[in-house]
Amino acid sequence: QVQLQESGPGLVKPSETLSLTCTVSGGSLSSGNYYWSWIRQPAGKGLEWIGLIYTSGSTKYNPSLRSRVTISIDTSKNQFSLNLSSVTAADTAVYYCAREFTYWGQGTLATVSS
Amino acid sequence: QTVVTQEPSLTVSPGGTVTLTCASSTGAVTNGYYPNWFQQKPGQAPRALIYSTNNKHSWTPARFSGSLLGGIAALTLSGVQPEDEADYYCLLYYGGAWMFGEGTKLTVL
């Protein structure tokens, strides 16, 4: 069964770029016509879809975040990544990666603070 | 600004039946919105329950079912168990973008 694991720095300074990686195991990221998503959840609040990427490299982003988000994929490493630029305290959240919203990682907390 | 609305909270007795709903500010929810439902317990990642309106994952208990009711997506729990106490989120597709509902806190009491 496919498993996903998020990784990245837990602390980012305001105005800098948050970079997270999702490592996929138990299957090849490039096999099957799947899309791979990033979702986030501020403490005590609801879920917010950030964006997704297909194995082809095609992307879709949340319109409210589009100007700051880049999602990329590295099939050779079985990983996909999230870059969120110009972060503020409002970007502090648990960040999840998922395969088609079916299989989810455990989440990683990213805190924006100086 | 599109909003996906769910009941903020619901309470159900063990063994009872409860329906959670998911409405879109853009109008009637149809199969083309591919409604998904998720369960999230404290400190855990969300768990997928239902996809494309009424399809269950292999791990979804039989007591959970999804449907469309008069232009609203619905998740029905029949024979509620204490372990069903959790937050529930719906997810809708808007032609290239996805949006989660605000979530429903379900209390089993």
Side-chain angles (χ1 to χ4, degrees):
Chain A
Q1 177 169 318
V2 65
Q3 294 183 316
L4 300 95
Q5 178 68 60
E6 305 88 351
S7 61
L11 183 64
V12 183
K13 290 182 169 55
S15 80
E16 295 188 344
T17 296
L18 167 66
S19 296
L20 298 175
T21 296
C22 182
T23 301
V24 179
S25 59
S28 173
L29 187 147
S30 58
S31 66
N33 189 25
Y34 299 115
Y35 56 84
W36 306 84
S37 278
W38 286 98
I39 303 103
R40 69 181 183 179
Q41 184 173 36
K45 297 188 177 181
L47 300 168
E48 181 180 32
W49 176 72
I50 299 171
L52 62 82
I53 188 166
Y54 292 87
T55 305
S56 65
S58 174
T59 54
K60 303 283 187 185
Y61 298 132
N62 185 323
S64 68
L65 299 170
R66 180 176 292 131
S67 63
R68 299 194 292 129
V69 173
T70 302
I71 297 176
S72 58
I73 194 167
D74 187 337
T75 55
S76 67
K77 294 183 179 179
N78 236 31
Q79 295 176 334
F80 63 106
S81 299
L82 168 70
N83 278 356
L84 181 64
S85 63
S86 305
V87 297
T88 69
D91 296 309
T92 294
V94 174
Y95 286 75
Y96 296 101
C97 60
R99 193 189 86 175
E100 296 206 338
F101 306 113
T102 301
Y103 299 104
W104 292 60
Q106 63 185 26
T108 188
L109 174 63
T111 302
V112 179
S113 175
S114 55
Chain B
Q1 180 80 353
T2 301
V3 178
V4 179
T5 302
Q6 298 182 242
E7 297 88 355
S9 64
L10 291 169
T11 300
V12 61
S13 299
T17 296
V18 64
T19 296
L20 289 66
T21 66
C22 176
S24 173
S25 62
T26 60
V29 176
T30 65
N31 287 325
Y33 284 77
Y34 301 99
N36 282 248
W37 289 93
F38 304 86
Q39 178 191 66
Q40 187 180 34
K41 296 183 178 180
Q44 297 183 14
R47 180 174 74 137
L49 293 174
I50 301 288
Y51 64 98
S52 296
T53 304
N54 56 9
N55 294 277
K56 300 179 185 181
H57 294 285
S58 59
W59 52 80
T60 303
R63 61 183 180 274
F64 290 85
S65 63
S67 63
L68 292 177
L69 297 175
I72 294 175
L75 175 70
T76 299
L77 288 69
S78 304
V80 172
Q81 300 297 306
E83 60 265 30
D84 296 333
E85 183 163 293
D87 293 329
Y88 291 83
Y89 293 93
C90 67
L91 175 67
L92 300 180
Y93 179 68
Y94 290 88
W98 293 87
M99 183 170 291
F100 284 95
E102 301 151 327
T104 295
K105 182 176 183 61
L106 181 66
T107 300
V108 181
L109 198 58

